Amino acid sequence: MGESQGGESPPVIDGAFARWLAGRAGQLLMEVRAEVGHDDPAALKAAGDKRAHDFLMSELARHRPADAVLSEEQQDARGVLAGDGTRLDASRVWIIDPLDGTREFSEEGRTDWAVHVALWGAGCAHPNRLAAGAVALPAQHRVIATDHPPAYPPMPVASATGGKLRLAASRSRPPAFLSALAEEIGAELVPMGSAGAKIAAVIGGEVDAYVHAGGQYEWDSAAPVAVATATGLHASRVDGSALEYNGANPRLPDLVVCRKDLAPRLLSALRGHLQVP
């Protein structure tokens, strides 16, 4: 659990370090679940958010002290940065969500919650400048990361045999247009919790795509998008433009992640439902 938790030194390479951070934060969250229990969901959510955030911030300060951090749990994280020279002028920014899918974390038996750790680099050649990323799915006993990206996903059996496409969708806040989009392209919706879990399902070939519009922040997608693109999947805004991170305003309200063969069809359909130029 790191130098402060047993003497283990973390990996030096950023991708492996991201995997290390996400995996250990996930272990802590499993311990919090066991310690606090599910009788008081609010207390469990609060304890999980704090424990994972404190761990990630402490280890980043210890091992990457020159880097900036954008975390969901930071005070005023959702505000527009006024240009104090800290994050916007940094060449390396860790974009983290210590606990994505807080509601699912507090529900006993659910496995669709995650830890997100991504690194944005000013000098990174990738269009979204995500230099590294890792997503831990502790209750699924999985960590996927850019240091050893998963293989390109197989086409889901239903899709490969002429059945309906499967679209991951929010179980609590599905976009209003999604049902109509699914009907048009012959798809069924698969409700899930965390955005990380949804994109991990695309990466694993359990669903064909994840489409979201109407409200997210950079920390909701940075890490899973880093892993998805390292895998070879398509990831963009719903208008097909590149996802951009470390903006003054951390809102990044929409995205689509899918297999590359499916992207033209999905983006074309989205133009009709969202009036994308």
Side-chain angles (χ1 to χ4, degrees), residues 26-238:
Q27 290 175 17
L28 284 177
L29 287 168
M30 293 296 284
E31 292 169 10
V32 170
R33 258 187 158 187
E35 292 169 10
V36 178
H38 293 80
D39 291 342
D40 185 343
L44 180 55
K45 292 175 186 175
D49 276 331
K50 184 176 188 329
R51 188 84 66 90
H53 174 75
D54 288 350
F55 169 77
L56 292 172
M57 294 300 287
S58 173
E59 296 303 311
L60 285 168
R62 181 191 304 268
H63 301 291
R64 298 294 192 274
D67 295 351
V69 180
L70 171 63
S71 169
E72 181 188 23
E73 298 304 318
Q74 286 172 320
Q75 188 174 9
D76 300 326
R78 290 170 173 76
V80 178
L81 197 58
D84 63 359
T86 302
R87 178 167 64 78
L88 296 183
D89 292 340
S91 60
R92 290 163 52 93
V93 180
W94 293 89
I95 302 174
I96 62 174
D97 190 344
L99 175 51
D100 187 58
T102 310
R103 172 180 170 181
E104 286 71 28
F105 172 73
S106 70
E107 295 181 25
E108 190 169 13
R110 293 205 70 93
T111 64
D112 47 349
W113 51 276
V115 179
H116 298 174
V117 178
L119 174 63
W120 175 94
C124 180
H126 195 281
N128 57 33
R129 297 188 179 179
L130 294 175
V135 177
L137 301 151
Q140 299 179 25
H141 310 289
R142 297 170 63 198
V143 181
I144 52 177
T146 54
D147 61 332
H148 296 290
Y152 193 79
M155 188 176 292
V157 174
S159 306
T161 55
K164 288 187 174 183
L165 296 174
R166 293 165 60 85
L167 300 183
S170 171
R171 63 187 287 252
S172 58
R173 295 176 299 156
F177 71 91
L178 205 51
S179 294
L181 174 73
E183 183 174 353
E184 177 184 333
I185 64 174
E188 63 177 312
L189 302 183
V190 183
M192 296 183 192
S194 146
K198 297 185 190 81
I199 296 176
V202 181
I203 294 170
E206 299 151 42
V207 297
D208 297 280
Y210 170 44
V211 179
H212 181 84
Q216 279 191 339
Y217 290 91
E218 292 184 8
W219 48 76
D220 291 313
S221 66
V225 162
V227 180
T229 52
T231 301
L233 290 165
H234 171 90
S236 72
R237 298 286 303 272
V238 295

